[in-house]
Amino acid sequence: MKIKKYLSLFCACLMVGLASCLFIGCGKDDNHIEVNEVTHSIFYAPFYAAINKGFFEDEGLSITLSNGQGSDVSMTALLSGDADIILAGPETVVYSSKTKDSPKVFGQLTQKDGSFIVSKTDDQNFTLDMLRGKTIIGGRAGGLPAMTLQYVIQKAGLTIGTDTANGQVNLRTDVSFGDIASVYQTSNAEYCTLFEPTATAMVNQNKGHIVSTVGAQSGLVPYTCFIAKESYLKNKSDKAEKFLRAVMRGYEFVSTANPTEVAKALEPSFIGTSLADLEVAVKQYVAIDAWCSNPAMTETSYNKLVEIINNYKPTTAPTFVEAVDNTIANKLMAG
């Protein structure tokens, strides 16, 4: 009898313990967000500042950050449920609009192309016409960096093709985003486009010269955004709101602090990059007005994105309201 009594007591305690663990686990899940970023770049400084300055913790959130190394991979992570939110180009929303539980942009982070045109020679007074008869590595076909570069080249009146002898611009889109720097160094390409801190690293290693920015040529473009499934924005709107509020605090910090302070805040996210290089990169992005003061995407900006995509390949794009949900962004901006 005593054995049965003790066994019953043990089972009861075990059930209570398991229930407690499940309750605690659910509590953690309620405050946790899986985020997948398309790549890791100082271009996303407000986001990293928000992480390292504890702004997400202030909102009661914890973040796990993974790297997709490509917008297509990041979108796959979102659609499969491996990520709750992705930081990627909004072109991925255009391509995925017909999927069940469609993804939507709910906050914009960057408003310019953040890539820098790097040359093997120090081209003074660079103009896009200098690309005539040359090869430039511009990233993955169908990705926003390559499409925007193609857009500005063609807007400058140049023809893209492989006949460089007759003045065509050979725009290579066969190199994955993370391999551009290494392929560029070993190829005969005269130019490539790189984001920070890779661009500055190339300069410091005497392997290239920054001669221009794509953003200066393209103007305002909704380049990088926070994207979540429609169901997440409906069922977890409180988490998405806290998330975006933390990012907005990150923007406020990077836009008001001096470059040295911003660089120090970014250091934990860029181990191996010197404080001096981080500071240079921050100044580069401040100079081109890369970041959004308002996370709500405008319809005008979205139409510019669609124009860039259609210039690359005619596409039936979703309408602005189908692709973008500014509910949270507008609420936060209204205070």
Side-chain angles (χ1 to χ4, degrees), residues 27-329:
K28 287 183 178 179
D29 289 342
D30 285 344
N31 297 320
H32 186 73
I33 299 178
E34 294 282 344
V35 183
N36 185 289
E37 59 180 357
V38 61
T39 189
H40 198 67
S41 171
I42 300 169
F43 190 36
Y44 311 142
F47 177 50
Y48 304 130
I51 293 174
N52 299 332
K53 297 289 287 185
F55 297 156
F56 289 107
E57 293 176 5
D58 291 345
E59 295 291 336
L61 299 176
S62 61
I63 302 292
T64 296
L65 185 61
S66 57
N67 193 317
Q69 287 294 337
S71 57
D72 52 341
V73 179
S74 294
M75 180 54 75
T76 298
L78 180 69
L79 296 178
S80 67
D82 289 336
D84 300 311
I85 294 171
I86 62 172
L87 175 60
E91 80 280 2
T92 58
V93 172
V94 173
Y95 298 151
S96 307
S97 62
K98 302 301 181 183
T99 60
K100 185 179 179 180
D101 193 7
S102 59
K104 282 182 174 284
V105 170
F106 72 96
Q108 186 175 329
L109 182 68
T110 61
Q111 61 182 3
K112 292 277 187 72
D113 185 305
S115 58
F116 295 84
I117 298 176
V118 175
S119 171
K120 287 178 179 174
T121 59
D122 191 5
D123 296 331
Q124 298 295 324
N125 303 315
F126 174 85
T127 65
L128 287 173
D129 196 64
M130 291 180 178
L131 297 177
R132 194 183 301 274
K134 302 294 193 301
T135 297
I136 182 169
I137 302 175
R140 180 181 59 83
L144 194 52
M147 290 192 295
T148 305
L149 181 59
Q150 176 177 326
Y151 177 81
V152 300
I153 288 173
Q154 292 178 323
K155 282 291 182 181
L158 301 175
T159 301
I160 292 176
T162 57
D163 189 5
T164 55
N166 287 309
Q168 291 186 343
V169 180
N170 181 20
L171 172 56
R172 287 187 55 181
T173 58
D174 60 331
V175 182
S176 63
F177 187 87
D179 295 331
I180 293 178
S182 59
V183 171
Y184 174 64
Q185 293 175 48
T186 57
S187 72
N188 61 358
E190 290 89 355
Y191 299 93
C192 74
T193 57
L194 294 171
F195 285 74
E196 292 289 9
T198 310
T200 293
M202 289 276 285
V203 172
N204 290 341
Q205 296 165 14
N206 295 317
K207 295 178 179 178
H209 305 269
I210 295 175
V211 295
S212 187
T213 69
V214 178
Q217 312 290 340
S218 65
L220 294 177
V221 176
Y223 207 78
T224 324
C225 303
F226 292 106
I227 302 165
K229 289 181 182 177
E230 192 170 12
S231 62
Y232 189 88
L233 296 176
K234 178 181 178 181
N235 301 326
K236 302 287 186 180
S237 60
D238 57 332
K239 289 175 70 174
E241 181 177 332
K242 291 176 181 178
F243 179 89
L244 196 56
R245 184 184 294 113
V247 174
M248 289 175 66
R249 287 185 64 193
Y251 166 78
E252 184 179 359
F253 170 76
V254 300
S255 62
T256 57
N258 65 56
T260 302
E261 292 173 325
V262 176
K264 288 180 179 178
L266 298 179
E267 271 190 303
S269 296
F270 294 93
I271 297 172
T273 303
S274 71
L275 185 64
D277 285 356
L278 289 172
E279 189 171 342
V280 169
V282 168
K283 289 178 179 177
Q284 295 267 44
Y285 284 127
V286 169
I288 67 169
D289 194 21
W291 304 308
C292 295
S293 59
N294 184 341
M297 183 188 293
T298 67
E299 189 166 0
T300 299
S301 293
Y302 178 73
N303 291 338
K304 179 69 170 288
L305 169 72
V306 173
E307 181 184 353
I308 289 172
I309 294 172
N310 282 329
N311 180 70
Y312 166 71
K313 182 179 181 180
T315 303
T316 302
T319 64
F320 176 71
V321 295
E322 290 173 331
V324 180
D325 185 348
N326 281 329
T327 304
I328 295 171

